[in-house]
Structures are given as structure tokens and as C-alpha cells.
């Protein structure tokens, strides 16, 4: 299947972009994030909010700033798949609700997808802890060496390829790593050095060193075959 998908992708010309934002109870920051996407919308990008059952005002606040709101079961994989199913763009960009794109993100993605079928940005972690820049640098270097991307790095992909692969696996955690592994069989990612800025709130809230150890433990357990639902619970994310 990889060869067929690769040949299909090579024939495509990326002309439009759909941005899928999975969200759950993000009323405190959803307006600021979506407002930063206004220029891309004016340039023709489609913005889709994929809500996982927010109980705050996330959806009401987002409605004037997006093209579509999709309601889906809680879980980033399920939410992003629901958004992608209604996307009209030739390229899909999956953007976490606490992540800000660099300037000219649309043209950077378009240029990257002329030669590759998927990619991601380098990342910068926003916060005050002195270890956050070090963590971000390690994430970028590891991703460049392994060809594996995390959702915080704003993964983008040609829609035809995403659909051929049946999207994200419906798992509770590590959906980004799982998708990266399948995409890597088609091509290496375009690793853009321009940086998205992602919140370091979880790192600072739970302790930087504790979070580093936890993430490495969970990642190792996943690669050894652990149940993603159990890993999600250990991460502090309780699927419904």
C-alpha cells in the first residue's frame, strides 16, 4: 500500500489547507489561538474546531472564528479524524489548542508538501523554567533523527495520504507517534526549522523533571506494546 500511496501523493498539487484544532474545555485560550489564524483564513485556509465535549464556553467562543465546528467523542485521535472527515483542503494541519504557528506557516507547508507527503515544525516551549528550551531542543533533534513527530509539533499531511492510511488510529494516547510510524513508510517527514510555540504549562504544573521521566517511561512502554488506554490514565488523561 505504501508504494500506491506514494505514487498518488506524487501526482497531487497542494492548493488549499484545512486546519483541524482538537479542543476540550479551552475557553481560556481558544479565542487567542483562533484569532491568530485569521490571516490564514483570509488567505483561503479552512479552520475546523473538533470539540470533544467541552463543558465550558469553548464552542460558543470559537463559532465566530472558525468555518466548522465538529462534535466528536473525547480523545484527540477521534476528534482529529472527525475534523479531517469534513475538511475540504488538499492538505491537513493538526494544531493543538495551546500551540501557535510561526509566521508564513501556510506558505511553508505548501513548499514542504511539494516534495514530501507530510511534515512538522520545530517546537519552542513557552514558560519560565530554564529547562524548557533544552527539552524543546531535544524534542526537535530526536524528531529529526527518528522521523517521528509529536502532535505538539503541528503535524501536516496531504489529505489523500491521510485518507489512504485511514487517519489516526483510535487510541487514547500516542496517536501522533503511531501515525508517524505509518507515514514514515511512505517518506521521511519535512522537518521545518521554523518553530511553533507550544505551552509549557503541563511541564511546569507537574514538575519538569517528573514530566521528563514520565514521558520517557510512557514512550518506552508504548513501544514495548503497552495498552495506550492504560498509558493515557498514567499520563493523567482519563478517557470517557
Amino acid at each position: 500500500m505504501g508504494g500506491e500511496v506514494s505514487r498518488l501523493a506524487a501526482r497531487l498539487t497542494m492548493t488549499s489547507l484545512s486546519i483541524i484544532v482538537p479542543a476540550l474545555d479551552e475557553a481560556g485560550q481558544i479565542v487567542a489561538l483562533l484569532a491568530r489564524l485569521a490571516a490564514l483564513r483570509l488567505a483561503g485556509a479552512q479552520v475546523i474546531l473538533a470539540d470533544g465535549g467541552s463543558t465550558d464556553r469553548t464552542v460558543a467562543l470559537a463559532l465566530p472564528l472558525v468555518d466548522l465546528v465538529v462534535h466528536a467523542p473525547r480523545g484527540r485521535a477521534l476528534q482529529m479524524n472527525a475534523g479531517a472527515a469534513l475538511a475540504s483542503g488538499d492538505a491537513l494541519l493538526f494544531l493543538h489548542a495551546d500551540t501557535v504557528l510561526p509566521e508564513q506557516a501556510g506558505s511553508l507547508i505548501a513548499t514542504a508538501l511539494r516534495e514530501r507527503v507530510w511534515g512538522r515544525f520545530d517546537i519552542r516551549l513557552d514558560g519560565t523554567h530554564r529547562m524548557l528550551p533544552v527539552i524543546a531542543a531535544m524534542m526537535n533533534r530526536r524528531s529529526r533523527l527518528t522521523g517521528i513527530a509529536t502532535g505538539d509539533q503541528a503535524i501536516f499531511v496531504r489529505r489523500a495520504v491521510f485518507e489512504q492510511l485511514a487517519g489516526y488510529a483510535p487510541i487514547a494516547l500516542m496517536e501522533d507517534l503511531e501515525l508517524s510510524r505509518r507515514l514514515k513508510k511512505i517518506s521521511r517527514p519535512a522537518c521545518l526549522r521554523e518553530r511553533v510555540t507550544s505551552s509549557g504549562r503541563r511541564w511546569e504544573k507537574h514538575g519538569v523533571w517528573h514530566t521528563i521521566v514520565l514521558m520517557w517511561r510512557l514512550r518506552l512502554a508504548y513501544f514495548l506494546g503497552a495498552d495506550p488506554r492504560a498509558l493515557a490514565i498514567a499520563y493523567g488523561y482519563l478517557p470517557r
Side-chain angles (χ1 to χ4, degrees):
M1 183 177 70
E4 176 186 349
V5 174
S6 183
R7 287 191 295 272
L8 172 64
R11 295 198 299 268
L12 295 175
T13 299
M14 200 279 287
T15 59
S16 57
L17 176 67
S18 291
I19 304 169
I20 294 112
V21 182
L24 179 69
D25 294 333
E26 295 285 359
Q29 58 192 12
I30 197 67
V31 170
L33 167 73
L34 296 176
R36 294 187 183 100
L37 300 179
L40 284 168
R41 284 187 78 201
L42 285 173
Q46 178 190 39
V47 177
I48 301 173
L49 182 81
D51 186 71
S54 294
T55 56
D56 62 7
R57 299 185 65 231
T58 296
V59 172
L61 292 169
L63 274 172
L65 301 170
V66 300
D67 299 290
L68 287 173
V69 172
V70 178
H71 299 279
R74 178 181 177 180
R76 273 186 175 149
L78 298 176
Q79 291 169 234
M80 291 188 291
N81 282 343
L86 296 180
S88 60
D90 299 315
L92 306 176
L93 168 64
F94 298 97
L95 183 67
H96 288 183
D98 59 357
T99 300
V100 178
L101 293 171
E103 291 186 9
Q104 307 301 320
S107 61
L108 291 168
I109 291 170
T111 299
L113 291 182
R114 290 192 187 109
E115 297 188 4
R116 303 289 177 93
V117 302
W118 74 291
R120 67 18 161 218
F121 291 88
D122 273 0
I123 188 172
R124 170 185 175 271
L125 292 174
D126 184 34
T128 59
H129 199 285
R130 64 182 180 181
M131 280 298 297
L132 292 179
V134 177
I135 294 167
M138 291 173 61
M139 291 171 64
N140 296 332
R141 180 171 178 79
R142 180 184 67 222
S143 175
R144 192 164 273 106
L145 289 172
T146 64
I148 299 293
T150 68
D152 290 330
Q153 291 173 302
I155 294 172
F156 53 87
V157 59
R158 290 179 182 251
R159 180 161 63 95
V161 174
F162 186 80
E163 290 173 350
Q164 287 284 338
L165 294 179
Y168 284 98
I171 55 180
L173 197 68
M174 306 293 180
E175 75 286 339
D176 45 2
L177 306 188
E178 195 278 338
L179 178 64
S180 293
R181 290 171 71 175
R182 286 184 287 139
L183 285 169
K184 232 176 74 168
K185 294 178 181 179
I186 301 171
S187 79
R188 294 279 298 180
C191 296
L192 303 187
R193 294 193 180 275
E194 290 82 3
R195 295 184 296 177
V196 296
T197 300
S198 188
S199 172
R201 59 184 174 175
R202 180 176 182 88
W203 299 88
E204 294 186 324
K205 177 180 178 181
H206 298 285
V208 168
W209 292 110
H210 169 79
T211 304
I212 290 173
V213 172
L214 175 64
M215 290 305 299
W216 276 103
R217 182 169 63 84
L218 295 179
R219 190 180 288 253
L220 177 61
Y222 171 71
F223 283 117
L224 292 176
D227 178 9
R229 182 179 176 87
L231 299 180
I233 293 171
Y235 185 62
Y237 172 69
L238 303 177
R240 292 173 184 166

